[in-house]
Amino acid sequence: RFIRNWRKTEGGPDYPSYEKLRQSFVDDWELFAQFVVEEIKSPVMPNQCEVTYVNILEDMQSGQLPRVLAWVSGECSDDYLGDPEDAELTLRYILKDENDHAWGRLHIAATPAFKATNNKPVVRLNLTARGAPFKKDASSALEWLDKGHEAVVRGFTSLTTKPSLIFSPQGG
């Protein structure tokens, strides 16, 4: 398994974009692949690729998922139950190309969590694109990762509501 991981931290540098990190991933991959060839005498042949984004939705409790996820209406026939104390949601979508051929899956999970810095309840929204590269070589794996990145970003945009609907006018 070859992984590139990053995250934004409070007080840390700006969150790096996929585009900014892609070249350092390529450089590190090339070093790793060269090491494997020298030590094992066999090329690395990627058999699965994955892109995951973890989004922390602050000032939000999991019972408020309908305010964040556009397709979850949260509409009940009356007010008897109100908002649930807790909620968890898992979705899977097949990713298809323009010819309707499947090339991967988009896994989405919304789970309750607590922010590490202040222990406030938050919703953790994970989006993971996963699938096999088009060929078992580095350039196909990178091509897949680019498509996987696009699927995660477009999936997030498609699934979530407009920002003005997510948070109250007072900012939480």
Side-chain angles (χ1 to χ4, degrees), residues 94-161:
I94 295 175
L95 299 170
K96 296 182 179 183
D97 64 18
E98 59 280 350
N99 297 317
D100 208 33
H101 294 110
W103 58 269
R105 281 193 173 77
L106 181 62
H107 302 261
I108 300 169
T111 58
F114 292 94
K115 190 171 181 181
T117 57
N118 59 17
N119 211 32
K120 283 189 170 184
V122 296
V123 172
R124 179 177 163 161
L125 183 63
N126 288 6
L127 292 95
T128 299
R130 186 179 298 131
F134 310 111
K135 295 179 186 171
K136 291 190 176 192
D137 61 34
S139 64
S140 290
L142 285 171
E143 180 184 353
W144 194 100
L145 290 171
D146 291 342
K147 284 185 71 130
H149 168 256
E150 179 183 4
V152 166
V153 171
R154 290 186 68 191
F156 178 84
T157 301
S158 180
L159 186 68
T160 56
T161 59

Side-chain angles (χ1 to χ4, degrees), residues 57 60-66 69 72 74 81-90 109-114 120-124:
L57 307 176
M60 179 70 50
Q61 295 181 15
S62 62
Q64 298 169 323
L65 282 175
L69 304 178
V72 178
L81 292 175
D83 285 340
E85 173 190 14
D86 209 349
E88 194 168 313
L89 184 65
T90 303
T111 58
F114 292 94
K120 283 189 170 184
V122 296
V123 172
R124 179 177 163 161

